[in-house]
Amino acid sequence: MKRLFPLLFTLLSTLTLAQTEIKVATFDSGFGGYFTAKEIEKQIALLQENHSANFSINHYGDTLNAPYGEKTPEMIADYSARGISRAFDDGAEVVFIACNTASTQYEAIKSILDKKNPGRGDHIVSIIDSSVRELKKQIDEHLKRKDLVQVVILATPATIRAGAYLRAISSAFGLNPQTADLKVFNQERWFKEKGEKIDSVSSQSILKLPKNQRVIISQIGPGNWVDMIEHGATQALKETAVGRDLRLLAPKTSWDIVGEFCTHYPAVDYLIKAESQKLKLSSEKTSYIKQGPLMAEIFRKMMLARLKPKKSKVPMKPVRAKIFISGKNAQETAELAREIFPKDPAPMIEQKSF
């Protein structure tokens, strides 16, 4: 972990604990990063059992400009830098980019941040590295038992077009960067306020490994899912869309590993599993990678490198993530949060300009 983010670990571990609060933030194009914030909440509660520190965790969702999945790389970098800058201006010490599409522009975002505030780019964490590390770990386990592993990456169209995951996975196996021929499907758009049509994409690539082993990487980028999640589509509509898009985009193979590499997709995880099993694409043995716990583990290790054990069992202030959004979909965001986290109190949501 320290090899991945050496400067960030050094900076955080040398900060004084004299302050009253350690402020952490997640950023996403919309609600999806709130899953990561909730996972960090859990880690904070565990850390406070043995360490004297108060925390705050805020999620910033750029719902005004969502979905990022159809934006240009330049737009994605610009919008992301604005939202992340807002988090820093509000006092965050570190921002977790809990958005795969934004993370494809990590270097560009870092450059924009550093031009305005030198060194600020060293305090952001991308979601892609930790996801690829977990994906390779699971692929390696399958390769111990068989010579062909079927991997499905569920992402936004922009993430797939950027090729970030395919390059990173190729590199993890010591291969030259792979390219993929994209299939583009122009579909009717569900959220008409953003236009009449939207593109979905898919691709398939083969990683050829020693000893005649192969890994088939199938990428699926449905265009409508993020808008449907963000803007309150009914359960029936989401079920129809997930089933339709899996039939249209998914390879007709048996999936071994599924990477849900859009942080919004855990909101429809149950539908992805149900519909893929109905189509005989997945089974009970299929494993699913969710990214919130991976980023929360990075946070935990950062804090362990910084915090000192507390000397007495003084209770710490409990932490709940607050949500800041740039768009006007506060009601839909609140309903989605209550639907996914029904045992939580009503979420704290505030509209803010990024």
Side-chain angles (χ1 to χ4, degrees):
M1 182 65 63
K2 290 187 178 182
R3 289 198 300 272
L4 289 171
F5 307 109
L7 182 55
L8 186 55
F9 268 100
T10 301
L11 287 168
L12 288 178
S13 62
T14 56
L15 289 171
T16 177
L17 285 177
Q19 65 199 63
T20 58
E21 209 167 45
I22 300 171
K23 296 185 177 182
V24 184
T26 59
F27 172 80
D28 195 355
S29 61
F31 181 82
Y34 188 61
F35 287 99
T36 298
K38 295 296 290 182
E39 292 294 333
I40 290 176
E41 258 189 31
K42 295 177 187 176
Q43 291 297 333
I44 288 173
L46 294 173
L47 286 166
Q48 288 182 327
E49 290 179 2
N50 297 303
H51 301 87
S52 297
N54 286 316
F55 294 86
S56 70
I57 170 73
N58 294 327
H59 172 61
Y60 293 77
D62 187 17
T63 58
L64 177 66
N65 297 303
Y68 282 9
E70 58 181 330
K71 301 292 190 292
T72 66
E74 294 77 17
M75 293 168 72
I76 293 165
D78 180 55
Y79 290 145
S80 299
R82 291 185 200 178
I84 293 167
S85 291
R86 168 55 65 186
F88 281 126
D89 291 344
D90 288 347
E93 296 177 18
V94 58
V95 179
F96 291 84
I97 307 178
C99 174
N100 290 271
T101 307
S103 290
T104 66
Q105 304 305 314
Y106 174 79
E107 292 299 334
I109 294 167
K110 188 174 184 295
S111 177
I112 294 170
L113 294 173
D114 283 338
K115 282 180 182 177
K116 295 180 179 179
N117 298 89
R120 184 169 271 186
D122 294 321
H123 290 257
I124 60 175
V125 181
S126 161
I127 203 168
I128 291 177
D129 288 337
S130 57
S131 302
V132 170
R133 213 164 46 249
E134 177 63 23
L135 180 55
K136 184 178 185 299
K137 176 183 172 183
Q138 292 200 21
I139 291 172
D140 286 341
E141 286 300 313
H142 280 279
L143 289 172
K144 291 177 183 178
R145 303 187 297 274
K146 56 185 183 178
D147 292 330
L148 176 63
V149 182
Q150 296 278 358
V151 175
V152 171
I153 291 176
L154 280 164
T156 67
T159 297
I160 294 173
R161 283 192 170 104
Y165 274 103
L166 196 52
R167 288 194 301 273
I169 296 166
S170 300
S171 176
F173 281 99
L175 302 175
N176 292 326
Q178 303 288 302
T179 58
D181 292 328
L182 292 184
K183 293 181 180 179
V184 180
F185 303 86
N186 191 243
Q187 296 178 291
E188 184 178 354
R189 187 167 199 145
W190 175 77
F191 191 55
K192 298 296 186 183
E193 290 183 23
K194 298 283 182 76
E196 291 296 322
K197 296 288 185 177
I198 194 168
D199 284 344
S200 293
V201 302
S202 68
S203 73
Q204 192 170 87
S205 305
I206 302 176
L207 304 186
K208 296 179 180 179
L209 306 178
K211 301 179 182 178
N212 292 320
Q213 291 188 311
R214 293 180 301 154
V215 179
I216 297 180
I217 309 290
S218 301
Q219 299 187 89
I220 304 172
N224 272 305
W225 290 10
V226 171
D227 270 343
M228 296 186 82
I229 292 166
E230 287 285 343
H231 296 284
T234 65
Q235 167 81 4
L237 284 172
K238 286 187 284 190
E239 183 176 338
T240 297
V242 170
R244 176 200 63 212
D245 289 344
L246 290 182
R247 284 192 296 275
L248 177 67
L249 304 170
K252 305 303 185 285
T253 56
S254 180
W255 303 351
D256 294 310
I257 305 167
V258 177
E260 293 185 3
F261 292 165
C262 170
T263 47
H264 285 79
Y265 292 170
V268 289
D269 170 75
Y270 62 104
L271 291 177
I272 293 168
K273 291 175 178 174
E275 293 301 313
S276 62
Q277 287 188 29
K278 189 186 299 182
L279 295 168
K280 302 188 184 306
L281 300 172
S282 67
S283 69
E284 296 296 335
K285 294 181 180 179
T286 303
S287 62
Y288 289 77
I289 299 174
K290 296 182 183 179
Q291 296 176 306
L294 299 179
M295 297 209 86
E297 177 64 10
I298 294 174
F299 164 78
R300 185 185 73 87
K301 290 184 177 180
M302 285 179 176
M303 292 300 106
L304 286 177
R306 174 181 174 181
L307 300 175
K308 296 179 180 179
K310 64 183 179 183
K311 297 179 181 179
S312 61
K313 295 292 182 180
V314 178
M316 297 288 102
K317 181 177 69 175
V319 175
R320 285 192 58 227
K322 187 172 182 177
I323 302 173
F324 296 107
I325 57 174
S326 58
K328 296 181 179 180
N329 59 326
Q331 181 177 343
E332 293 93 336
T333 300
E335 290 172 357
L336 186 58
R338 284 195 294 268
E339 175 187 334
I340 297 170
F341 303 101
K343 295 182 180 179
D344 278 10
M348 299 171 284
I349 302 172
E350 181 180 328
Q351 187 179 355
K352 225 176 218 200
S353 59
F354 295 173

